[in-house]
Amino acid sequence: MSDNPDDTFKFLFPLKLILDEDKFGNSHYEVVVKNMSKSEVFTYQVSPELLFTHFPLYKSFKNGEKTESNPSKEIFEKIFTIDSSLINNSIEKKLNELLDKKTIGTLLGWNYKYLDTARFINCYLIEQDNIKIIIPHYAIGIYYYFRFSEMREAALDCNIESLYVMCNDNRADAKIVLPTPRTDEDAAFIHRYACQPMAQNEFENISKYIHHYLKYMREHDLDEEIDGVHLKINFPVKEKFKIETRVSLVTNKETKEEYYFIHEITNDNSDIGFDKFTKIVEQNKIITDLEDLENLSKVDREIPEETTEILKVKDANKKHTSTQHRKDRKKSCGSLLNIEIEHETQTKDIIKDLLKIYQEQDNNDKVDQSLTESSSKGDKATRRVIISSEFDKEENRPLNEIDNFVVFRQYMEFLKQQSTIKNFTLSEVKNLPEFLIEKAGEKKINPKCKMNKRTRQYLTATFKYEKFYVGLLELENYPSSAASSWVIISDSVITNNTFDFFINLYFKDNNSIPDIVMNYKKANPKFTKKNHERNENLDEIQLAKWYAGLLGKINL
């Protein structure tokens, strides 16, 4: 799209979530896009929140700006009253269970190229008042869970705690403390997922479904390449409420059944969980002296290694210029109608008084007042607090994290015991170099080289199998990441230079793993991947299946 700034485009249909191997929170939707100027249909990867904030489905834009050209006359606004307490597995359908191929093709820009993927998206079928409504799960996700980039990351990584410092759920006087400023709507949604058990459960289920799906697929075929997933997403409340939508009326050509297909949820009036809401932004220190600026500590920020460039900046015609992609949102969330909202900015030392915390419950760990993470290897310790009697007690569950190096070493121990494996070696833990890449005209350390604000690590192993020399590389990764090792096959000995060559491709040249696999799957040395379990206690069957799969990849 950046190569055609004068053309008009429409995002039409999210096909699936393309998983980021290193961090699920950085995953993107693969979306069907139509170039209206050239009548061409293609797919494009976009951050899910952009479909909420900037580029709603079936709306035209040109060079990053909304345009009224090529209006989607088949799309219209409609309000439905739904009862989400009636939504269950019995009304969950694949799209091809409701619509025929030709009708699905019309949703894809009158094109059938991506039909095989689109027909398997997850939907709810609601039948009421003599009408049938199709609600794609992606429409629920975009409105409720992917409202801004940090919320998308938290949902996909199962980490709501990253969005707030502390909160209480007193309906008459709810409060939330935020580490960074948020809009009233965003703060209210964070509070909903932090304090309401049902909403929190649905928030966490998004990431859990990804893990369960990958586990299920790999139990059936450990070596199947899984680059994307059709998400399953539910509403965060169980009640009757109204949703404002943009829909089209579609008819199954075979059954003649007529449906309202919801392309976008634009607003709702579901119960947000409080009648009064105070949004408190945590402020560590107020700078009163310019000399204090020199003493401020610097904190590295982990930036997603792959971001989608929607459009190029226009050529400058003045000394300074910039392009802004304007948000499409114009009205407040209906759930906040008649809700009294107050705003405060406070320093850490008085926030406890504001929330009336009078006791910390000992959980046998040394835990800071805010959420602390012990490391990427171990349990995540979370604050447990008791709020004064007007509030409910809130306890966060520790999130178990499995060190992928522990898992990898189990496979290596099994591997070196096999009689067909010769000259086996396993390295000590190594630190990655900090490769620089260019972002926004500046040289910065590739965020893929960092983990938890420190240098990322890796392990390597080498061996000979029959006439082939093999190298395995295991990158340290997040518990929410996919579990796989690099596999390098050659007809000559694998050396550190061999590993460095592929490390440079991924970190220095910033190529993606799928691109490296595609470019070197028939080369010598050959590059591929080997999926594995994330289990600290692998049994003999799991080890043997992994070993058999690995041997199947060793060829040139």
Side-chain angles (χ1 to χ4, degrees), residues 129-153:
D129 304 324
N130 297 318
I131 63 172
K132 296 182 179 181
I133 308 167
I134 298 175
I135 308 180
H137 287 209
Y138 68 69
I140 300 172
I142 291 168
Y143 178 79
Y144 288 98
Y145 303 101
F146 305 144
R147 299 177 68 89
F148 56 94
S149 58
E150 292 85 355
M151 180 173 280
R152 174 253 302 163
E153 290 182 32

Side-chain angles (χ1 to χ4, degrees), residues 356-361 384-388 393-394:
K356 302 181 177 67
I357 298 174
Y358 71 90
Q359 180 184 359
E360 278 195 20
Q361 178 177 324
R384 294 186 181 188
V385 298
I386 297 176
I387 312 294
S388 61
K393 178 179 176 181
E394 186 76 26

Side-chain angles (χ1 to χ4, degrees), residues 19-275:
L19 298 176
D20 184 298
E21 266 205 0
D22 278 340
K23 193 172 188 294
F24 289 154
N26 295 336
S27 301
H28 291 70
Y29 264 137
E30 181 180 33
V31 185
V32 176
V33 183
K34 187 167 186 176
N35 182 323
M36 306 303 294
S37 303
K38 295 182 172 64
S39 194
E40 296 173 349
V41 175
F42 57 97
T43 60
Y44 195 78
Q45 290 189 27
V46 61
S47 295
E49 68 275 10
L50 289 178
L51 300 177
F52 176 76
T53 59
H54 290 74
F55 305 110
L57 301 176
Y58 277 88
K59 286 191 177 181
S60 299
F61 67 92
K62 179 180 180 180
N63 202 20
E65 299 291 338
K66 183 180 175 182
T67 175
E68 298 302 324
S69 64
N70 304 105
S72 299
K73 296 180 181 179
E74 72 278 19
I75 307 292
F76 56 96
E77 296 181 355
K78 188 169 178 62
I79 299 175
F80 298 98
T81 298
I82 63 170
D83 189 346
S84 59
S85 66
L86 302 177
I87 292 179
N88 52 47
N89 292 338
S90 67
I91 66 168
E92 187 175 294
K93 308 288 183 183
K94 297 294 184 182
L95 187 58
N96 65 347
E97 296 179 68
L98 304 173
L99 301 179
D100 63 288
K101 293 180 179 180
K102 288 185 178 180
T103 305
I104 296 174
T106 64
L107 300 173
L108 305 175
W110 298 88
N111 187 285
Y112 304 106
K113 185 191 298 187
Y114 307 107
L115 182 65
D116 285 343
T117 303
R119 65 197 185 101
F120 292 116
I121 70 159
N122 296 303
C123 306
Y124 291 119
L125 172 64
I126 296 179
E127 300 183 63
Q128 61 184 34
D129 304 324
N130 297 318
I131 63 172
K132 296 182 179 181
I133 308 167
I134 298 175
I135 308 180
H137 287 209
Y138 68 69
I140 300 172
I142 291 168
Y143 178 79
Y144 288 98
Y145 303 101
F146 305 144
R147 299 177 68 89
F148 56 94
S149 58
E150 292 85 355
M151 180 173 280
R152 174 253 302 163
E153 290 182 32
L156 296 176
D157 284 339
C158 198
N159 188 19
I160 184 62
E161 291 87 359
S162 65
L163 298 180
Y164 70 100
V165 178
M166 58 184 76
C167 63
N168 70 57
D169 62 351
N170 179 1
R171 185 175 187 95
D173 190 14
K175 294 184 178 72
I176 189 167
V177 181
L178 302 168
T180 56
R182 297 287 179 201
T183 65
D184 293 346
E185 292 83 0
D186 291 346
F189 272 73
I190 294 171
H191 186 277
R192 165 185 269 170
Y193 300 129
C195 291
Q196 298 176 30
M198 183 177 297
Q200 186 178 80
N201 186 58
E202 296 299 348
F203 190 93
E204 294 176 349
N205 280 344
I206 297 173
S207 178
K208 288 178 181 177
Y209 176 75
I210 295 174
H211 285 278
H212 292 160
Y213 174 81
L214 292 177
K215 184 175 186 295
Y216 172 82
M217 295 299 290
R218 287 171 178 170
E219 283 177 350
H220 286 75
D221 185 357
L222 192 61
D223 289 318
E224 181 177 350
E225 293 296 331
I226 304 168
D227 65 343
V229 58
H230 296 294
L231 290 178
K232 286 191 175 184
I233 305 177
N234 204 346
F235 290 94
V237 295
K238 296 290 187 184
E239 63 184 53
K240 184 177 286 189
F241 60 98
K242 291 181 180 179
I243 55 173
E244 298 178 26
T245 69
R246 294 173 58 244
V247 303
S248 61
L249 205 53
V250 297
T251 303
N252 185 315
K253 304 285 192 300
E254 296 174 359
T255 65
K256 309 304 179 186
E257 292 281 358
E258 194 173 64
Y259 302 89
Y260 287 99
F261 185 91
I262 294 180
H263 299 276
E264 180 189 12
I265 299 173
T266 60
N267 206 349
D268 83 317
N269 69 345
S270 59
D271 181 17
I272 199 65
F274 47 73
D275 301 317

Side-chain angles (χ1 to χ4, degrees), residues 430-436 445-446 448-450 455-456 458 500 503-504 507:
K430 302 178 182 181
N431 291 325
L432 279 170
E434 294 186 343
F435 293 102
L436 298 178
I445 295 174
N446 190 333
K448 292 192 291 191
C449 299
K450 294 277 198 177
T455 301
R456 194 172 177 184
Y458 67 101
D500 289 343
I503 287 172
N504 284 335
F507 293 99

